[in-house]
Amino acid sequence: MPENPTPAPAPAADPANPPAPTGPPQDNPPAPAAPPQNPPAPVEGDVSTLPEWAQTMIKEAQEKAPAAEQPAPPAPEPPAAEGDLSRLPKWAQQQISTAQEQARTAAVHAAVLRVAPTAGANAAALLDSQSAMTALAAVDTNDQTAVAAAITAAVQAQPHLAAAVGPARGGADFGSATPPERTPGSLHDAIAARLGA
């Protein structure tokens, strides 16, 4: 075989499989290439991370817009206080106010029933009197002396609200001295009574 005067072309370098070194071994091998570092994540509002043309556009826009015209951010709403009924829907507010009125009325009725006998008033008559109940609605029902004073004032203004003195009347009247006239039960009794027999 004849010898080829042209040298064979060098095989293409495969990046996945680098060629083995052909020279003598070195004492200090080259350091492996450091992995590329990711640039830091851009911070929101940081203009310096934008391209130069974008930075100049932003600076020009900021110079044109006066700082005084920029609207102030809205103030955060303060947290609602516990028990703030104004944040509830209307129907819920109405139900709560109705329930509070009913509870107040029940408390006034209970105070009247509890204090009226000791204040010398008729409890049933007080509960039926609109003027007395209006006066008692303004009084603290937990303060028995204030309730008693309001009941006493209502009794003085309207004497028919006073409790009856003495035992209640009942039964037949036994105070009459003359006996009632007797009616005969039959015709025979009527004739006998008339003839005196």
Side-chain angles (χ1 to χ4, degrees):
M1 288 208 283
E3 239 181 70
N4 215 357
T6 58
D14 184 16
N17 296 324
T22 56
Q26 295 178 352
D27 289 340
N28 290 335
Q37 293 182 349
N38 291 336
V43 178
E44 188 174 323
D46 186 14
V47 178
S48 63
T49 59
L50 297 174
E52 190 66 34
W53 62 267
Q55 291 179 13
T56 56
M57 285 180 65
I58 291 174
K59 285 180 185 176
E60 289 173 2
Q62 287 175 343
E63 289 171 359
K64 287 181 183 177
E69 287 186 15
Q70 294 179 355
E77 290 186 26
E82 189 172 323
D84 183 14
L85 300 180
S86 64
R87 303 189 122 228
L88 293 175
K90 282 252 191 236
W91 63 267
Q93 292 176 10
Q94 290 173 346
Q95 284 186 343
I96 288 173
S97 64
T98 301
Q100 288 173 338
E101 290 173 12
Q102 290 173 346
R104 176 69 181 153
T105 303
V108 170
H109 286 195
V112 166
L113 292 174
R114 184 176 57 242
V115 178
T118 59
N122 182 354
L126 276 172
L127 292 175
D128 285 340
S129 171
Q130 184 66 34
S131 61
M133 293 306 292
T134 304
L136 285 165
V139 177
D140 180 19
T141 57
N142 294 326
D143 185 9
Q144 289 191 5
T145 56
V147 173
I151 289 174
T152 304
V155 168
Q156 287 175 352
Q158 301 172 4
H160 69 277
L161 298 177
V165 180
R169 286 185 63 176
D173 184 16
F174 296 107
S176 176
T178 57
E181 189 175 311
R182 184 172 170 233
T183 17
S186 67
L187 180 60
H188 178 28
D189 293 336
I191 294 172
R194 186 75 165 153
L195 295 175

